């Protein structure tokens, strides 16, 4: 079972965040690190500090040597997909092939309203997400892309240089929605992320994902199943939870560490998880 970690870059100062990631880079159990794509702190005082996720990830790509990196997940409404594809290609080159591309439909009404970013109704958001997956895949793998979609239009579009990873960096779709999110994941995802929930719910969602895979003609073994779970006070209890997720079908556990970020907690969790994920 693969293990990685996530830090939300909110309600914290810069140096503690960097020190936390540098410590994780020294612990072999952690295969990847993740940040988020929000402009305000979420589930918290929105007036607090919040670093921008992709900019931060670029710095971390240069600061670390081994960890794979990603934004879990990028809000599709925040950027045109062609721009995101160019960002991803650049960061994959800069990180020597360590990027994983997280993508979701977008949801924070407060941020969108404050910044004047349109937030369409949910059905349109999922339509846009599906078109974006096609655009990003094409721009990162083909010489030129022409697409006349409902929401996006590209004409002989290029994205050069191409990423280091072939055919492209893994695409990670996050979310639980059975009708649209899991169907989009079945079509496009290299990894599907289950963002919090009980192991029994995960087991059910995997069954739904496999049904969608059958509908679209995709081998479900091509999609890594990851779970994001909150770190608590007891690493041993989290290890038991990780084992339960593994039994339910998870192949990858992402430990979400809230601030304050004490690098020592990484070692404590790694020690407990080492047995649970073997």
């Amino acid at each position: 079972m693969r293990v990685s970690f996530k830090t939300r870059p909110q309600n914290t100062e810069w140096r503690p965040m960097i020190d936390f990631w540098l410590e994780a880079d020294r612990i072999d159990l952690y295969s990847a690190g993740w940040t988020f794509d929000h402009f305000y702190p979420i589930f918290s005082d929105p007036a607090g500090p919040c670093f921008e996720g992709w900019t931060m990830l670029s710095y971390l790509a240069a600061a670390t040597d081994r960890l794979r990196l990603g934004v879990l997940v990028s809000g599709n409404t925040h950027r045109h997909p062609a721009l995101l594809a160019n960002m991803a290609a650049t960061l994959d080159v800069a990180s020597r092939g360590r990027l994983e591309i997280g993508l979701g439909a977008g949801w924070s009404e407060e941020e969108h309203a404050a910044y004047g970013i349109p937030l369409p109704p949910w059905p349109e958001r999922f339509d846009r997400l599906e078109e974006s997956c096609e655009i990003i895949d094409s721009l990162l793998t083909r010489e030129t892309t022409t697409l006349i979609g409902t929401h996006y239009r590209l004409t002989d579009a290029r994205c050069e240089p191409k990423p280091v990873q072939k055919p492209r960096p893994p695409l990670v779709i996050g979310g639980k929605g059975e009708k649209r999110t899991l169907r989009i994941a079945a079509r496009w995802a290299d990894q599907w992320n289950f963002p919090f929930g009980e192991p029994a719910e995960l087991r059910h969602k995997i069954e739904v994902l496999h049904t969608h895979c059958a509908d679209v003609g995709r081998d479900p073994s091509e999609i890594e199943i990851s779970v994001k779970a909150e770190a608590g006070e007891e690493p041993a209890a989290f290890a038991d939870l990780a084992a339960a997720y593994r039994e339910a079908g998870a192949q990858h556990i992402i430990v979400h560490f809230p601030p304050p970020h004490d690098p020592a907690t990484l070692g404590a969790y790694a020690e407990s998880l080492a047995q649970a994920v073997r």
Side-chain angles (χ1 to χ4, degrees), residues 60-258:
L60 289 165
T64 57
D65 293 318
R66 181 189 59 82
L67 287 169
R68 297 185 62 79
L69 316 101
V71 175
L72 194 68
V73 287
S74 301
N76 185 58
T77 49
H78 297 169
R79 303 165 191 85
H80 192 286
L83 169 62
L84 186 62
N86 275 266
M87 292 166 57
T90 298
L91 190 48
D92 196 57
V93 171
S95 66
R96 305 180 304 281
R98 292 185 286 143
L99 179 67
E100 303 195 12
I101 306 170
L103 196 60
W107 61 269
S108 175
E109 294 181 8
E110 182 176 32
E111 292 174 313
H112 286 76
Y115 283 13
I117 300 172
L119 184 64
W122 278 109
E124 181 180 330
R125 273 181 257 175
F126 286 116
D127 292 343
R128 287 177 174 272
L129 176 61
E130 192 150 21
E131 284 187 22
S132 291
C133 289
E134 182 177 0
I135 289 168
I136 291 168
D137 177 79
S138 183
L139 283 171
L140 296 182
T141 59
R142 300 178 182 178
E143 183 177 355
T144 62
T145 295
T146 295
L147 183 143
I148 309 301
T150 303
H151 304 288
Y152 303 108
R153 179 185 294 261
L154 277 72
T155 304
D156 295 330
R158 299 178 182 272
C159 178
E160 298 294 342
K162 292 290 186 278
V164 171
Q165 297 179 82
K166 303 302 178 187
R168 55 161 170 73
L171 189 60
V172 184
I173 302 295
K176 297 183 182 182
E178 296 184 6
K179 293 182 179 180
R180 297 299 306 274
T181 301
L182 290 176
R183 189 170 183 85
I184 293 170
R187 174 84 185 278
W188 293 105
D190 301 290
Q191 178 189 151
W192 166 63
N193 180 253
F194 175 76
F196 305 116
E198 297 298 322
E201 183 186 7
L202 171 65
R203 185 178 287 108
H204 168 70
K205 299 294 185 181
I206 292 174
E207 292 174 356
V208 175
L209 176 64
H210 287 185
T211 298
H212 286 309
C213 285
D215 290 343
V216 301
R218 180 93 183 273
D219 182 352
S221 68
E222 296 176 358
I223 304 172
E224 182 184 34
I225 306 297
S226 68
V227 175
K228 180 172 63 177
E230 188 90 6
E233 295 183 2
E234 296 295 333
F238 189 91
D240 290 341
L241 178 62
Y245 281 131
R246 181 181 183 182
E247 183 67 22
Q251 301 158 308
H252 179 179
I253 184 78
I254 301 172
V255 191
H256 171 236
F257 290 100

